[in-house]
Structure formats: structure tokens, C-alpha cells
Amino acid sequence: ALAVSAQLGGELERARTLFQECVELAEQVGNQRAVAQALVNLGHHILKYNDDAEAAQPLYERALEIAERLNDRPVVAMCLSHLGDVASARKDPEAARLMYERAIATSGEHGDRWAVALTLVDLGRLFSDLGEHRACHQRLAQALGLAREIGYHAGIARGLAAFARSAAQRGQSDRAVRLAGAAAAIRETLGAPPLPVEVTELTRDLEPARRALGAAADRAEEAGAKMSIEDAIEFALAEEI
């Protein structure tokens, strides 16, 4: 909890030290389930906040080995999803796709629809970056439908932001900025900011769209922010690719 607090407060080195201490303490008491979870938390911090895929990968692999030995399917799925993130960061899209698909299947086996929705977004983002926008749209549509069904508003926001990136990459400037505005408004209401790496990617991908729109960019973003969650979902799903 102290590590998460430090992380959210921008004290990244302190957070990393505390996450590492969690691993060491779990090892000392011999709680392998706790070790696996602590390794996942440390890996997530290193990958998403320190942007170090090389250092994160062995942590996830060790956590996966422990979780498989304990038959802890939720943690297995989590590790697979994060290993997909590692492969994506290392520019290995085929390995990333395989890991994400395995994670989705594993989460589906034990009915973790929240995890399925999140990993579908990750898979959609991967296809978007590969320029496979039809496959991206299909995965993101699945993710939004599932997140809407279970009332997972943070997942909806993440899906809308991924739709925004895809639209921006395809030159759909107004659509991209509107979707980004809708996603940001939901996150602000929830008090759940996106991960730093997601902010960087979305800002980068939206820059050409904002430049193309000029003064109209702020109006498009405001219009998106004013959408209801249901209207934002329908707007995202309305486009046919």
C-alpha cells in the first residue's frame, strides 16, 4: 500500500524499493502466493513507470512459474497479460498477441470478465499499432461491450482511449479527439488517471489530429467530454471499418 501511494505521488524510486521489499518479506515468510503477487506488482511498476521491459520480464516469468505450480489461474492470466505488455514494448507483436490471447482464454476459464475486457483492450491497441484496424475495432468493440455489461467504467474509459488512438492513426481527427475527450471525462469522474505510458502514446498519436483541427480541437474534445457513457460507447461502435 505504501508502494502504491508513493507511485501515485510520483516517488518512483521509493515505490520501487517498497515493491522490492514486499517480494523479500513474502519470501522470508515462505508464502509463495504472496511472492507471486508481489513479483507482479514490482514488474508492473518497473514496466509501466520505469519503462524497463528487460528488467520486468524475468519478474513476470518467475511469478508465472509460481502461479502455475499453485494453479492460481487469476495470477497466471495476469502474468500472461503483462508478458504480452513486455513483448509489445520489446517490439515483438507476434509474441504479444500470443500472450494476450492466452491471458484472455485463461481469464475466461474462471469467469474474470474484468480481466478479459482489459486484455481485449491491450490486444486492440496492439492491432492498432500494427495498422490492422479492423481487427483492432473488433477487439475493442468486444471490450466495450463486456465492460458496459459489467459496469466497468475504468475499462470503458480505457477502451474509448484506444478507439481514439486508432481513429487518430487513420486520420479521423475529429472522431479521435472526441473519443479522447470522452475517455478523459470518465477518468476524471472516477479519479483514475491513465498510466504514464498510455498518456505518452495518446498524446503522441493525437498531436497530428489536434494540429489538423486547429482551434476546433478544443471544441471537439469538449463535445466528447459532455457525452454520456452510453453515448460515447455508441459513438465509438458506430464506425464501420
Side-chain angles (χ1 to χ4, degrees):
L2 287 170
V4 172
S5 178
Q7 181 176 264
L8 294 176
E11 300 177 74
L12 299 187
E13 285 306 313
R14 180 168 181 263
R16 183 167 179 163
T17 298
L18 289 165
F19 278 127
Q20 180 63 54
E21 189 175 352
C22 287
V23 175
E24 293 165 1
L25 289 170
E27 289 172 333
Q28 287 174 24
V29 298
N31 186 331
Q32 288 297 293
R33 201 173 296 273
V35 170
Q37 185 61 65
L39 286 166
V40 169
N41 290 340
L42 177 60
H44 181 268
H45 177 78
I46 289 173
L47 178 62
K48 299 298 186 179
Y49 289 85
N50 295 157
D51 193 24
D52 190 346
E54 294 288 341
Q57 181 171 351
L59 299 172
Y60 289 136
E61 289 174 342
R62 185 181 168 209
L64 177 61
E65 186 274 328
I66 294 171
E68 286 180 330
R69 189 169 67 248
L70 296 174
N71 197 31
D72 189 333
R73 306 311 289 168
V75 176
V76 167
M78 192 184 307
C79 291
L80 291 170
S81 180
H82 287 317
L83 284 168
D85 294 338
V86 167
S88 181
R90 298 183 67 177
K91 309 302 181 187
D92 188 347
E94 184 56 32
R97 182 191 62 78
L98 178 63
M99 288 297 179
Y100 287 145
E101 289 178 349
R102 287 179 61 193
I104 290 167
T106 304
S107 294
E109 288 171 5
H110 62 268
D112 189 346
R113 296 189 292 171
W114 289 49
V116 170
L118 279 179
T119 310
L120 280 168
V121 173
D122 291 326
L123 187 55
R125 284 162 50 87
L126 176 68
F127 281 127
S128 179
D129 289 337
L130 292 172
E132 299 180 26
H133 292 290
R134 182 170 296 175
C136 167
H137 189 279
Q138 290 172 346
R139 289 355 181 252
L140 295 182
Q142 287 178 271
L144 277 189
L146 184 54
R148 174 168 56 181
E149 183 180 329
I150 62 179
Y152 185 19
H153 289 182
I156 291 170
R158 196 160 181 269
L160 292 172
F163 265 115
R165 288 185 69 231
S166 174
Q169 289 165 348
R170 291 180 288 109
Q172 302 291 324
S173 299
D174 182 82
R175 182 177 190 82
V177 175
R178 285 175 187 266
L179 287 165
I186 295 171
R187 282 170 162 158
E188 184 176 357
T189 299
L190 295 174
L195 292 167
V197 64
E198 293 178 346
V199 173
T200 299
E201 290 174 350
L202 186 59
T203 301
R204 178 198 65 207
D205 290 340
L206 284 181
E207 184 179 352
R210 291 186 179 279
R211 192 164 55 244
L213 291 174
D218 288 342
R219 294 194 293 272
E221 185 174 25
E222 184 178 349
K226 289 181 178 178
M227 288 184 187
S228 68
I229 290 178
E230 191 63 29
D231 286 345
I233 292 172
E234 291 302 320
F235 180 71
L237 298 179
E239 185 183 26
E240 294 185 6
I241 299 178

